[in-house]
Amino acid sequence: MQGSESLSLTLSEQQAEKLVGYVERIDKWNKAYNLTSVREPEQMMVKHILDSIAVAPFIDGKTIIDVGTGPGLPGIPLSVMLPDSSFTLLDSLGKRVRFMKQCAFELGLNNVTPVHSRVEDHKPDQPYDIVLSRAFASLKDMLHWCEHLVDSSGVFVALKGQFPQSEIDEVSDHFRIESVKALSVPDLEGERHLVNIRKV
């Protein structure tokens, strides 16, 4: 798959097929369900797939919850890249969750659990290793709404555009910004940054 090489990611043929199959399903369902404002499959490969899998080398955990995942971004592409980790995909819109369940079934994604819930109402049996978000909320709001999803060893990982200095300034003293990494996503216009945060 073009683009994955420049991310220094190696994809098996099966992984590439699943990622393409996922884009085909977004494209098909998008007409009725309005899952994304990106209409062209070629654009989806860059703006959704490459943008999501660019995060894979920085995900170090077995249980991950993707909050406000929409149609499954970045959770579904990451579940393909990281088959040994389990992904809970949380969204408050039923039609998106139906779409994700169908995708997981058709693509054989056994490490994906779509959940229809508001994030503040979701009560996991065990704390997650990682809370992941992409285009979900400000850092301050994300931490406020998701604080109960991890314990002191858990990590919050937020995918942002430009360096989010103003959002970082708003983060409370209960949390520590561990790192902010610049990501280079092939063919994607604009900046991408990955913010790692822990509880103090």
Side-chain angles (χ1 to χ4, degrees), residues 122-190:
H122 180 59
K123 302 287 188 281
D125 296 332
Q126 299 281 331
Y128 292 98
D129 295 335
I130 295 173
V131 172
L132 182 64
S133 81
R134 172 184 186 258
F136 169 60
S138 70
L139 294 176
K140 178 184 168 187
D141 286 345
M142 173 199 173
L143 295 168
H144 173 67
W145 289 330
C146 302
E147 191 172 0
H148 66 289
L149 299 176
V150 296
D151 58 19
S152 57
S153 61
V155 183
F156 300 89
V157 177
L159 191 55
K160 293 287 178 180
Q162 293 178 319
F163 191 91
Q165 188 61 57
S166 58
E167 291 188 30
I168 288 171
D169 293 342
E170 289 185 334
V171 172
S172 85
D173 299 340
H174 302 300
F175 300 95
R176 180 176 75 248
I177 307 284
E178 292 236 298
S179 64
V180 184
K181 297 184 184 76
L183 298 180
S184 175
V185 180
D187 302 323
L188 186 74
E189 289 176 20

Side-chain angles (χ1 to χ4, degrees), residues 23-81:
V23 166
E24 288 170 350
R25 284 160 179 78
I26 295 181
D27 184 46
K28 179 179 154 191
W29 284 56
N30 209 22
K31 296 168 181 68
Y33 274 51
N34 200 24
L35 298 168
T36 169
S37 58
V38 182
R39 296 292 175 204
E40 297 299 321
E42 296 78 19
Q43 286 291 306
M44 289 178 196
M45 289 307 292
V46 173
K47 291 185 175 175
H48 291 334
I49 304 303
L50 291 179
D51 192 37
S52 293
I53 67 175
V55 182
F58 308 104
I59 298 297
D60 182 20
K62 285 294 176 201
T63 58
I64 296 127
I65 181 166
D66 179 10
V67 293
T69 185
L73 295 163
I76 285 182
L78 285 173
S79 75
V80 173
M81 299 300 295

Side-chain angles (χ1 to χ4, degrees), residues 96-131:
R96 292 179 187 151
V97 175
R98 283 195 296 280
F99 167 74
M100 289 188 285
K101 284 182 174 171
Q102 191 66 24
C103 273
F105 173 71
E106 290 179 6
L107 297 171
L109 302 175
N110 303 323
N111 58 335
V112 161
T113 307
V115 174
H116 182 203
S117 173
R118 291 164 59 90
V119 65
E120 54 268 42
D121 299 332
H122 180 59
K123 302 287 188 281
D125 296 332
Q126 299 281 331
Y128 292 98
D129 295 335
I130 295 173
V131 172

